[in-house]
Amino acid sequence: CFAFQLACCCGTAACFLCCKCCPKIKQSTSTRFMYALYFILVTIICCVMMSTTVANKMKTHIPFYKQLCQSIQAGEMCEKLVGYSAVYKVCFGMASFFFLFFLFTIKINSSKGCRAYIHNGFWLVKLIVLTAMCSGAFFIPDQDTFLNAWRYVGATGGCLFIVIQLILLVEFAHKWNKNWTAGAKHKRMWSCLLALVTLMLYSIAAAGLVLMTVFYTRSKGCMDNKVLIGVNGGLCLFVSLVAISPCVQNRQPHSGLLQSGVISCYVMYLTFSALSSKPPETILEENNQNSTICVPEFSQDLHRDENLVTGLGTTILFGCLLYSCLTSTTRSSSEALRGIYTTAETEVS
């Protein structure tokens, strides 16, 4: 009997006990939400570990900081516990956790089986397992080889994740445009709002393009930055023209400038992220002094542009994650991109 009660506390009973005031949702949605919550929690921890401000505060306010770091063999300034290498290890543990459950849930066709029950519950046990896997990554032998290999895995996964984000953004923009266009048939206000939002999206994208041109380029040099900004700006214009072309409109009536506006803003963010991550160029001035170019002056020694990129990226990440959790999954996404939508009754339900 005690074991059964303990299992209930580790399963869905604890969630129901804490969330009686919350609206009722499907078990599949609550499961996706809980996994997303774990992901967000670990991501926030990674952001804290990446912050130089937090590292400096720890060094200043924690007594015996150097002695503590040396005693646990983390380096004089705890480089193994904060910074990029620590984030790689934590993310490796989190990725291993989700990959384990990916393998665990292969070919589950019903929510009534044993594996499905484990997948949909035991959240306290899963939190302990996730914590153990993230902590255990710090004890992997031959850390240098591990970090070098994990960088390539991360780069590959990052490219795949950008594609997934694009799919989610396009699907979201399709539904947004479809709903407001349907509302415009009854009230003119929705048509005005659709035009206003589209104008705002393109204004943000154009402003970002101009600001990046001003701060990350100069008349001489910065050729890589100029090419990157010019190519991405031209591609955004091309996508916008394609979205309203007659051939696309005939095949996909719900296509419009709203979707291309959302993607243009996202592309401007990716461009800004790339420019802020690119090492600055150094030239020799006429007075024989080295001068750093191709970076904004306010970002030198302050990392303000990097903090802005982190904030924007985290916001987009959480937005896409929550959207994918609270909406239907793969089948509806592919159908939406092909222009196949569910009936109004199904959408309301």
Side-chain angles (χ1 to χ4, degrees), residues 35 96-106 108 118-119 121-122 126 129 133:
Y35 282 118
S96 301
F97 172 82
F98 283 106
F99 185 73
L100 176 65
F101 278 94
F102 159 72
L103 297 177
F104 185 76
T105 54
I106 291 178
I108 292 183
I118 296 174
H119 174 67
F122 296 93
K126 290 176 182 176
V129 173
M133 296 181 77

Side-chain angles (χ1 to χ4, degrees), residues 235-249 252 255-257 260:
L235 289 175
C236 290
L237 178 61
F238 174 74
V239 167
S240 303
L241 295 176
V242 168
I244 59 176
S245 62
C247 59
V248 173
Q249 287 292 319
Q252 179 57 269
S255 177
L257 291 177
S260 56

Side-chain angles (χ1 to χ4, degrees), residues 197-224:
V197 170
T198 303
L199 180 62
M200 289 177 59
L201 289 173
Y202 275 101
S203 299
I204 293 173
L209 188 67
V210 172
L211 290 175
M212 285 186 290
T213 303
V214 171
F215 289 111
Y216 286 96
T217 63
R218 54 182 291 174
S219 57
K220 296 181 180 180
C222 305
M223 185 56 63
D224 293 341

Side-chain angles (χ1 to χ4, degrees), residues 43-62 65 69 77-79 81-83 86-87 302-303 307 310:
T43 304
I44 293 175
I45 294 175
C46 290
C47 291
V48 171
M49 296 172 73
M50 280 287 296
S51 175
T52 54
T53 304
V54 173
N56 293 331
K57 291 289 185 181
M58 291 173 57
K59 181 174 61 176
T60 305
H61 294 90
I62 296 180
Y65 181 77
C69 296
M77 305 304 295
C78 275
E79 295 89 351
L81 295 181
V82 294
V87 171
L302 295 178
H303 305 285
N307 293 335
T310 302

Side-chain angles (χ1 to χ4, degrees), residues 10 31-32 34-36 38-39 92-108 114-133:
C10 297
T31 298
R32 292 199 299 268
M34 286 301 298
Y35 282 118
Y38 284 174
F39 179 80
F92 172 77
M94 179 176 62
S96 301
F97 172 82
F98 283 106
F99 185 73
L100 176 65
F101 278 94
F102 159 72
L103 297 177
F104 185 76
T105 54
I106 291 178
K107 293 186 177 181
I108 292 183
C114 178
R115 289 191 297 160
Y117 180 74
I118 296 174
H119 174 67
N120 294 325
F122 296 93
W123 298 111
L124 179 59
V125 175
K126 290 176 182 176
L127 181 61
I128 295 174
V129 173
L130 176 61
T131 304
M133 296 181 77

Side-chain angles (χ1 to χ4, degrees), residues 1 13-15 23 28 51 72-73 81 88 141 222 240 288 294:
C1 182
C15 297
S28 59
S51 175
I72 61 177
Q73 297 181 352
L81 295 181
Y88 286 153
C222 305
S240 303
N288 293 328
C294 306

